[in-house]
Amino acid sequence: MSAPSETRDPRLIADEPGLKGAWAGYRRRLSQGELGSLPVIVGLAVIWLIFYLANERFLSPVNLTNLMLQIAAMGTIAVGLVLVLLLGEIDLSAGAVSGLAAAVMAILSVKQQWPPVPALLAGLGTGAAVGLFHGSWLTRLRVPSFVVTLAGLLGWQGALLYVLGETGTVNLNDEVLIGLAGTFFEPGIAWTVTALAIALQVAVVLRGRRRRAAAGLPLAPWRGALVGVVAPSAVLVAAMTVFTRDRGLPLAVVLFVGLALALELVLRHTRFGRHIFAVGGNAEAARRAGIPVQGIRVAVFTLASALAAAGGILAASRLMAVNQSSGSGDVLLNAIAAAVIGGTSLFGGRGSAWSALLGALVIGSISNGMDLLALSSSVKFMVTGGVLLVAASIDALSRRGRQAAGRA
């Protein structure tokens, strides 16, 4: 129950009750450049409609399941890049790191006969070690992240070739490693996961309201909380319906979405997450507030490279092999594009882990739809580049709107 209007601090901005108040609040946020995920969702709906009208198979359960499998690896890398972008930094080595980590895992599993779990952990550890190196180098020597990770892009690509050796390709044969992308859960497990996810959403919303009430802060109207639970739950149920009509719930999708959910909870409900936003918003102000700015940067680059390694391992599992082109090509560009298109600001301090999921869906849908229509790669690249340019332009205009509102 919201606090009475006479007890509210007049300096706090709150929506008035009713539909009129909700509409007025929405218009205020639009005028200040706070577009949220709306442009991405609308754009995704338009993309799906266009491809469905061009080819009805686009929205079939089989194709939508394949679409999610296609974006799981790239989206996992994009989740890590979201953290880096929130700091106002960039990581150009994520693609190369993903390939190197997958190669380390493959070599240990196939040639050294390591059990799957230690080999998997070694691959993830390789990514984390690379991120720790990048973060420490750029913070201690004050070298721009662009330069450090560009050097990493070249250096770790060479390390990938060295690890693979003369053969250049290593085929995975362990059922556990292949099963990361090849396992599908039956409907009973799928709906159990759905129920647990919805329960977690409700618990997070109720916990947030209890904490605000305990702090004496005004509570938002229940309509906002209901929308925040009902809308994602409806999307989740629809997705699960699609999966169960095909092969079942893919483990790779569970891992990808689970990582995005975990990072979103960290960003929104932990001190570490608040420190990331603070450093990305204004590093000097964060330093004066006692936040360990350099430590946050090192931790974020370490975590981002570990997630890049996880994405590379998922990609290797889906292809059942690692080769000299693993992590190269358009992997890095698509991952960065996914983060930006999903709504993460290039200027730091604004975004969410969910933006990686939304952006990956946009990138993956364009690629998947054009493949169904048998369009050439040249058209695919041009369209993807145009979408990225539009997303970056919206980000710049939103930032300008927020600055104008702040001056007013």
Side-chain angles (χ1 to χ4, degrees), residues 271-291:
R271 178 179 297 179
F272 176 65
R274 292 190 291 270
H275 286 179
I276 291 176
F277 281 107
V279 173
N282 190 321
E284 180 58 24
R287 184 187 65 80
R288 294 185 178 184
I291 295 175

Side-chain angles (χ1 to χ4, degrees), residues 68-140:
M68 291 302 299
L69 287 172
Q70 290 165 6
I71 70 171
M74 180 261 290
T76 301
I77 299 174
V79 171
L81 289 174
V82 164
L83 300 178
V84 175
L85 292 175
L86 285 176
L87 293 180
E89 304 284 357
I90 190 65
D91 186 353
L92 299 179
S93 68
V97 172
S98 71
L100 174 61
V104 169
M105 177 201 69
I107 290 295
L108 293 177
S109 173
V110 176
K111 295 189 175 181
Q112 302 298 323
Q113 298 296 309
W114 280 33
V117 174
L120 182 63
L121 293 177
L124 295 175
T126 299
V130 169
L132 178 61
F133 172 76
H134 288 168
S136 300
W137 194 282
L138 67 92
T139 55
R140 292 183 180 276

Side-chain angles (χ1 to χ4, degrees), residues 393-404:
S393 301
I394 291 175
D395 177 36
L397 292 174
S398 299
R399 184 170 182 261
R400 188 182 306 173
R402 291 192 303 276
Q403 290 176 339

Side-chain angles (χ1 to χ4, degrees), residues 1 22 24 73 85-86 91 107 124 151 155 175 178-179 182 188 197 214 224 259 264 306 324 351 369 375 381 402:
M1 184 175 180
L85 292 175
L86 285 176
D91 186 353
I107 290 295
L124 295 175
E175 293 183 359
I178 295 175
L259 285 171
E264 182 67 13
Q324 295 176 341
L375 298 178
F381 281 124
R402 291 192 303 276

Side-chain angles (χ1 to χ4, degrees), residues 288-379:
R288 294 185 178 184
I291 295 175
V293 174
Q294 307 295 24
I296 292 295
R297 286 196 173 114
V298 172
V300 165
F301 273 90
T302 302
L303 185 55
S305 290
L307 288 169
I313 290 170
L314 281 178
S317 175
R318 184 165 181 266
L319 295 176
M320 295 186 290
V322 179
N323 55 47
Q324 295 176 341
S325 63
S326 295
S328 61
D330 58 358
V331 172
L332 172 66
L333 297 180
N334 281 343
I336 295 177
V340 175
I341 289 172
T344 299
S345 176
L346 288 167
F347 304 99
R350 187 171 64 87
S352 69
W354 291 124
S355 62
L357 173 59
L358 291 174
L361 274 173
V362 172
I363 296 292
S365 297
I366 292 173
S367 176
N368 180 280
M370 289 188 175
D371 287 342
L372 283 179
L373 299 179
L375 298 178
S376 65
S377 297
S378 59
V379 176

